[in-house]
Amino acid sequence: MAEDLFKALADPTRRIILDELACQSGQTLFEICSRLTMKHQLGISRQGVSQHLAVLEAAGLVEVRREGRYKFHNLNTAPLRQIAERWPLPDASGPESTP
């Protein structure tokens, strides 16, 4: 699972898609494509965005909800929290240890 997560996060376009979903969750493919074109000047096809969304969904970072013929995409940060919990930071309030 972590391998899929890191692969998904490695691509800058996918990170921009996640940023856009963080700003406004529940977007359709059309809305995401419009934001990428207008806000980020990315000339990427709908099929290309759809493929990026599939990678993000496989990594668990995007959840899809269907209503009729529309698919709404939502950001899921749970996999990121799992990674953060995997390597916790040392407690800053405790005494510092020397190697």
Side-chain angles (χ1 to χ4, degrees):
M1 178 177 165
E3 188 174 315
D4 290 340
L5 179 64
F6 289 124
K7 176 186 171 190
L9 292 172
D11 187 277
T13 301
R14 288 194 280 268
R15 291 192 304 267
I16 291 172
I17 292 171
L18 292 174
D19 289 341
E20 288 303 319
L21 290 175
C23 289
Q24 182 180 343
S25 200
Q27 294 184 59
T28 64
L29 176 61
F30 176 78
E31 291 170 317
I32 295 168
C33 289
S34 297
R35 285 177 172 262
L36 294 178
T37 300
M38 300 301 287
K39 193 173 175 183
H40 301 281
Q41 291 76 41
L42 290 177
I44 186 169
S45 68
R46 286 173 56 100
Q47 181 179 3
V49 174
S50 183
Q51 290 173 346
H52 282 300
L53 286 167
V55 171
L56 292 168
E57 187 177 356
L61 292 167
V62 170
E63 294 179 341
V64 176
R65 174 179 45 89
R66 288 186 177 271
E67 285 185 24
R69 52 183 273 212
Y70 295 100
K71 287 172 60 175
F72 296 91
H73 302 86
N74 298 292
L75 177 63
N76 178 21
T77 58
L80 298 173
R81 284 192 299 272
Q82 291 171 351
I83 292 296
E85 291 168 358
R86 183 176 176 176
W87 295 294
L89 295 173
D91 186 12
S93 63
E96 293 187 14
S97 61
T98 57

